[in-house]
């Protein structure tokens, strides 16, 4: 039996009059690494949330293996950080699963070690960089020991180093037998998966293995706009992937303007007033890739 099966599943956001998923059928097997691709508005994130159990279909059915536990890592790490300290945030899931204190501690240490955050176990979550916050989100999900890990464009807002570390971790987990569903818009990330599902206008227009996707020029052009260079989509081992060059990177940027007192010079008999701080950016991260 499949871990998860969708049969003619549809879902609409009634308040926005948007049909996000239309008559989708697919099955997920244990140990698969699936990339879900699609342009903005294609329905890929909604499909991810339906599979993870965060949304219920309007029609059709979703059949899950008995006892199936899913974990979803969001695009914005702030959406799932629930505690003020790294240790407490990572242990939140196991605590709610009813794990013993010893088991919670064990899972917390293991998960933070896996993402490289063990040294920050006592750190306030607000003091983490954007990349560290995303790693914390992954650690919190990993601590649940889910049967399926879903990632909804979870690497799109982190710096290049953190992104590579997260992708390498997914590769390792997959090699260890973990089932992974990764919603992405990135060619390199997609080619790490064995199976690729492509959505367009709320429907699945492609569902096949990586090699079949690579050879399908029309589908690639739909997703990425122009035909990709051969080397960018080659089915290479992870250590041989060509990383796109970054033109501009901001990682955890804070920036403020200091407003000088208005009204010109102050009378000499009055103490100088302190300028007021006007915060413009707080923990701002952005990666702009060079077009090659």
């Amino acid at each position: 039996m499949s871990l998860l099966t969708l049969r003619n599943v549809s879902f609409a956001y009634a308040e926005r009059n948007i049909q996000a998923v239309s008559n989708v059928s697919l099955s997920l097997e244990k140990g698969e690494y699936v990339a879900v691709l699609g342009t903005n508005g294609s329905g890929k994130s909604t499909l991810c949330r339906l599979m993870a159990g965060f949304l219920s279909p309007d029609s059709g059915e979703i059949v899950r293996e008995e006892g199936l536990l899913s974990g979803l890592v969001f695009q914005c790490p702030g959406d799932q950080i629930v505690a003020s300290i790294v240790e407490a945030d990572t242990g939140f899931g196991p605590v709610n699963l009813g794990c013993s204190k010893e088991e919670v501690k064990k899972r917390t240490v293991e998960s933070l070690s896996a993402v490289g955050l063990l040294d920050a176990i006592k750190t306030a979550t607000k003091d983490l960089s954007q990349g560290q916050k995303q790693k914390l989100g992954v650690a919190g999900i990993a601590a649940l020991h889910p049967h399926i890990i879903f990632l909804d464009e979870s690497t799109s807002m982190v710096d290049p180093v953190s992104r590579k570390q997260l992708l390498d971790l997914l590769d390792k987990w997959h090699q260890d037998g973990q089932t992974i569903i990764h919603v992405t818009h990135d060619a390199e990330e997609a080619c790490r998966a064995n199976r690729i599902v492509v959505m367009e206008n709320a429907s699945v227009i492609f569902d096949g293995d990586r090699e079949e996707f690579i050879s399908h020029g029309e589908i690639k052009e739909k997703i990425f706009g122009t035909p990709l260079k051969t080397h960018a989509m080659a089915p290479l081992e992870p250590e041989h992937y060509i990383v796109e060059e970054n033109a501009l990177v901001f990682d955890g940027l804070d920036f403020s303007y200091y407003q000088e007192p208005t009204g010109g010079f102050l009378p000499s008999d009055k103490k100088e007033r302190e300028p007021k701080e006007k915060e413009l950016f707080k923990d701002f991260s952005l990666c702009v890739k060079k077009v090659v």
Side-chain angles (χ1 to χ4, degrees):
M1 177 181 173
S2 301
L3 286 179
L4 183 69
T5 300
L6 280 70
R7 297 173 181 155
N8 306 116
V9 167
S10 295
F11 179 87
Y13 295 101
E15 68 279 6
R16 289 180 282 167
N17 195 28
I18 296 174
Q19 184 70 41
V21 172
S22 178
N23 199 36
V24 169
S25 296
L26 56 82
S27 294
L28 301 177
E29 305 298 328
K30 183 177 181 180
E32 281 195 293
Y33 189 164
V34 183
V36 181
L37 296 171
T39 56
N40 289 339
S42 62
K44 60 186 185 297
S45 289
T46 302
L47 178 65
C48 178
R49 282 165 167 72
L50 284 163
M51 291 190 290
F54 278 67
L55 295 174
S56 298
D58 295 330
S59 61
E61 64 175 342
I62 300 177
V63 180
R64 296 178 173 83
E65 186 179 77
E66 185 176 355
L68 183 71
L69 180 61
S70 300
L72 173 60
V73 183
F74 295 103
Q75 180 180 18
C76 298
D79 291 345
Q80 62 189 102
I81 293 177
V82 297
S84 59
I85 302 298
V86 167
E87 181 178 29
D89 192 80
T90 307
F92 181 81
V95 167
N96 280 274
L97 289 177
C99 296
S100 66
K101 290 184 179 180
E102 293 75 17
E103 180 66 14
V104 170
K105 181 67 175 179
K106 178 175 179 289
R107 292 190 185 196
T108 297
V109 170
E110 288 177 348
S111 299
L112 290 175
S113 297
V115 300
L117 280 183
L118 187 58
D119 289 345
I121 191 169
K122 300 296 184 181
T123 301
T125 54
K126 67 180 179 61
D127 293 332
L128 299 177
S129 70
Q130 188 78 356
Q132 289 174 317
K133 288 178 181 177
Q134 194 60 286
K135 290 177 183 178
L136 178 60
V138 173
I141 294 302
L144 294 171
H145 290 185
H147 301 100
I148 306 178
I149 292 180
F150 294 90
L151 301 102
D152 187 9
E153 299 197 55
S154 305
T155 63
S156 63
M157 296 180 66
V158 300
D159 61 276
V161 173
S162 296
R163 173 178 174 267
K164 183 180 185 305
Q165 290 171 342
L166 290 174
L167 292 174
D168 289 346
L169 181 60
L170 294 182
D171 288 338
K172 179 183 182 303
W173 281 345
H174 176 235
Q175 291 166 8
D176 292 340
Q178 178 68 57
T179 307
I180 299 169
I181 313 299
H182 190 184
V183 175
T184 180
H185 58 269
D186 185 272
E188 177 203 347
E189 293 181 7
C191 282
R192 290 177 179 250
N194 322 88
R195 174 183 172 190
I196 295 176
V197 173
V198 180
M199 292 197 71
E200 183 182 50
N201 297 327
S203 299
V204 172
I205 61 170
F206 177 88
D207 184 356
D209 62 34
R210 178 175 60 191
E211 287 69 28
E212 185 182 356
F213 175 74
I214 289 169
S215 65
H216 205 307
E218 182 181 351
I219 293 292
K220 288 188 296 184
E221 188 167 354
K222 278 180 178 290
I223 302 304
F224 301 110
T226 56
L228 299 177
K229 296 180 181 180
T230 304
H231 70 263
M233 296 301 299
L236 304 174
E237 294 302 315
E239 62 268 21
H240 295 141
Y241 282 116
I242 296 173
V243 179
E244 299 172 6
E245 183 178 351
N246 297 306
L248 182 65
V249 176
F250 296 99
D251 180 24
L253 177 70
D254 292 343
F255 180 80
S256 300
Y257 284 116
Y258 284 87
Q259 297 175 313
E260 295 296 336
T262 59
F265 294 102
L266 294 171
S268 59
D269 60 341
K270 292 186 178 180
K271 292 182 179 180
E272 185 176 354
R273 291 175 293 181
E274 290 294 329
K276 296 180 180 178
E277 182 177 353
K278 181 179 180 181
E279 187 174 75
L280 186 63
F281 296 113
K282 178 66 176 176
D283 197 22
F284 175 76
S285 296
L286 174 69
C287 178
V288 179
K289 294 187 180 299
K290 181 179 179 180
V291 177
V292 296

